[in-house]
Amino acid sequence: MSDLASSQLLQASAAQLPVHTYFDPFFYEIEQKVLFADAPQYYGHALMVPNEGDYHTLAWMGHGKMLKRVGGEVKLISNVCRHRQALIYQGRGNGNHIVCNLHGWTYDAAGQLVGAPHFPETPCLNLNQTALTSWNGLLFDAKRDIARDLEQLGVARHMRFEGFAFHSSHITEYDFNWKTFIEVYSEDYHVDPFHPGLGNFVNCGDLKWEWGEQYHVQTVGVKNRLARAGSKIYGKWHEEVLRRYADQQPEYGAIWLTYYPNIMVEWYPHVLVVSVAIPKGPEKCTVITEFYYPEDIVWFEPEFIEAEQAAYFETAKEDDEICYRMHEGRKALWLRGESEVGPYQSPTEDGMQHFHEFYRRLMGEHLVG
C-alpha cells in the first residue's frame, strides 16, 4: 500500500469514536446533555390517531403520554391524572372526553379538567401538553426545525405516508450502547456476508448515498429481479412482492434514512418503517419500531404483512448479533484500558463515517481521542 493510501486510511479511521464513549457513565451524562439537548424527539405518526377523538398511548414512555386527535390536530397530552397521578388509559381508543375512572375526574378532548366529582369547585388542574411539529406526518417536539433539517432530502417523496395506515409498533430492549445500533444501520459492508435473506433481496452493488448535515441516506437496488431468495423466510417475502408488482419491478430494494442522532425511516416495497434508538444508559438502549402499509394491505392482505415482518425481523435478529459482538469486543478493550479503531470500507461504510463526523462535530471539546 502506498504511503498516501495509508495516510488516507489513518485519517478516515481518526473519525471513529474511542472505546470509552460506549461505556463511561460520566461521558454518557455529558453526551445526553450536549448531543441530545437539541436533538429531534420523535413521538409517533399522525396515522396512529387517524380519526377525530382517537388516542394512542406511548408504551415506550410507560404510557405516560398519549397522542390524541382534537379538532383535526394531533396533540401530545399527559396520560397521568392530575388527582392521584394514575395512568388514565393504556393502548388505543376513541372518546370525546378523557376520563379517569378511579375517581371520575373528567377532562375535555384537549386535556382541560371539566369535572371533579364532590369538589365544590373544579380545580384548575389540566393535563400537560407538549408542543409538536410535523414532517410528512411524523410528529416531533418543537425544539428543532425538522422541515429545515430535511428540506434538501432527495428521497423525501418516498417517505410520504399518504394512503398508508399504521399497523403496529414493537419495543426491543438491548444491553449495548445506542451508537452501536446506529453504526450497524449505517453501513452495508456486512449485508452480503451476514444477511443471506436481505443480501438476496437488495443489491448493495447498486448502493447510492445522499448526504445532509443532519442525516444520510442509503439507497440500494433489487437483487437479480428477486429471482432467488436467500432464506425460506425471505422466499415468502419475495413471493408477496412479486405478486403485488406483477410484471413490474420495485424501483428500489430499500431506502434507509438516518436522521441524526437516532431516528431511522425505511422504505421497502409497499412498506414504511420508523425506528428510534433511545439511550437508556452507557450499555442499554430501547429501540422502537413502527410499521406502516398502504391501507388496502392493512385491511385485506395480512399475508403480505406477515411475510414482510418475518423477513424484517430475521434481518433484525442478525443485526442484533453484530451489535452484541461489537459491544463485547469493545468492552473487552475497555476493561483492559485499551482503545482500537479500524479503517472504513468505502463506499459501503461511508454512512458510518458521516455519523461519526456528525457526532464529533457536536461533542467537540468533550470528545478526547
Side-chain angles (χ1 to χ4, degrees):
M1 181 181 293
S2 69
D3 291 342
L4 176 59
S6 296
S7 175
Q8 290 173 335
L9 283 176
L10 289 172
Q11 185 177 5
S13 297
Q16 294 199 38
L17 308 181
V19 72
H20 76 269
T21 64
Y22 301 88
F23 300 99
D24 188 339
F26 178 72
F27 184 83
Y28 173 82
E29 294 302 323
I30 296 174
E31 182 182 79
Q32 300 314 296
K33 293 176 182 177
V34 175
L35 186 66
F36 284 90
D38 188 41
Q41 174 65 66
Y42 173 72
Y43 288 102
H45 196 281
L47 291 174
M48 291 176 164
V49 285
N51 304 308
E52 183 67 20
D54 282 354
Y55 67 82
H56 180 116
T57 66
L58 302 181
W60 60 272
M61 301 188 76
H63 301 281
K65 293 187 178 184
M66 71 173 104
L67 296 173
K68 186 164 178 61
R69 188 172 288 274
V70 183
E73 180 183 357
V74 179
K75 297 181 180 293
L76 182 64
I77 302 175
S78 175
N79 186 40
V80 178
C81 183
R82 294 299 304 274
H83 180 229
R84 288 292 171 261
Q85 298 76 54
L87 285 180
I88 301 173
Y89 298 134
Q90 185 166 325
R92 308 177 73 192
N94 182 280
N96 294 326
H97 292 84
I98 301 169
V99 181
C100 179
N101 63 6
L102 267 67
H103 301 99
W105 276 42
T106 301
Y107 308 82
D108 67 15
Q112 182 173 342
L113 185 65
V114 294
H118 306 300
F119 277 78
E121 296 182 4
T122 300
C124 295
L125 294 172
N126 303 323
L127 300 176
N128 294 325
Q129 294 190 28
T130 302
L132 293 175
T133 187
S134 175
W135 181 83
N136 285 359
L138 300 168
L139 301 169
F140 302 85
D141 63 23
K143 291 186 298 184
R144 290 191 61 82
D145 188 340
I146 309 299
R148 185 178 64 184
D149 284 351
L150 301 176
E151 64 182 351
Q152 300 299 321
L153 185 65
V155 298
R157 68 184 180 91
H158 296 287
M159 303 299 174
R160 304 191 69 84
F161 289 75
E162 286 86 352
F164 276 65
F166 169 73
H167 178 265
S168 58
S169 61
H170 302 258
I171 300 175
T172 309
E173 305 290 345
Y174 290 113
D175 294 323
F176 51 73
N177 188 275
W178 69 275
K179 294 187 291 297
T180 304
F181 191 93
I182 300 298
E183 289 168 342
V184 173
Y185 184 83
S186 299
E187 59 97 345
D188 297 78
Y189 195 26
H190 72 274
V191 172
D192 285 337
F194 209 80
H195 292 315
L198 180 64
N200 280 279
F201 186 87
V202 302
N203 179 12
C204 290
D206 190 24
L207 169 65
K208 296 179 178 63
W209 291 101
E210 181 185 340
W211 311 109
E213 184 178 353
Q214 303 287 337
Y215 63 85
H216 71 254
V217 182
Q218 303 144 270
T219 300
V220 289
V222 177
K223 178 68 71 70
N224 194 26
R225 301 181 63 84
L226 302 183
R228 184 175 69 86
S231 72
K232 183 177 180 180
I233 286 175
Y234 262 87
K236 294 182 179 180
W237 173 226
H238 284 217
E239 291 174 6
E240 288 298 323
V241 172
L242 291 170
R243 179 182 60 81
R244 289 281 301 187
Y245 277 85
D247 295 331
Q248 304 296 317
Q249 282 287 305
E251 186 176 1
Y252 306 108
I255 303 172
W256 298 309
L257 163 67
T258 308
Y259 180 28
Y260 299 153
N262 63 333
I263 299 167
M264 295 143 284
V265 184
E266 307 172 61
W267 178 98
Y268 302 97
H270 300 300
V271 189
L272 284 164
V273 183
V274 182
S275 301
V276 184
I278 303 171
K280 289 297 182 70
E283 299 181 58
K284 289 186 178 296
C285 67
T286 300
V287 174
I288 315 301
T289 308
E290 301 167 357
F291 291 91
Y292 301 83
Y293 304 90
E295 292 177 341
D296 60 329
I297 289 179
V298 171
W299 294 338
F300 304 117
E301 299 187 40
E303 64 280 1
F304 182 97
I305 295 174
E306 181 180 358
E308 187 277 329
Q309 291 194 13
Y312 186 95
F313 284 112
E314 177 180 90
T315 297
K317 185 175 180 181
E318 292 161 355
D319 280 338
D320 293 349
E321 180 180 347
I322 299 172
C323 288
Y324 275 109
R325 287 171 62 177
M326 289 168 60
H327 169 79
E328 290 160 1
R330 287 168 171 167
K331 189 163 189 178
L333 293 172
W334 164 248
L335 291 174
R336 66 184 191 232
E338 299 176 12
S339 186
E340 295 177 357
V341 297
Y344 299 99
Q345 198 289 321
S346 183
T348 61
E349 292 187 310
D350 287 355
M352 183 191 293
Q353 181 173 347
H354 192 263
F355 169 65
H356 287 159
E357 290 168 348
F358 159 85
Y359 184 92
R360 284 183 169 274
R361 186 168 66 248
L362 267 65
M363 293 300 291
E365 64 183 14
H366 301 286
L367 188 61
V368 179

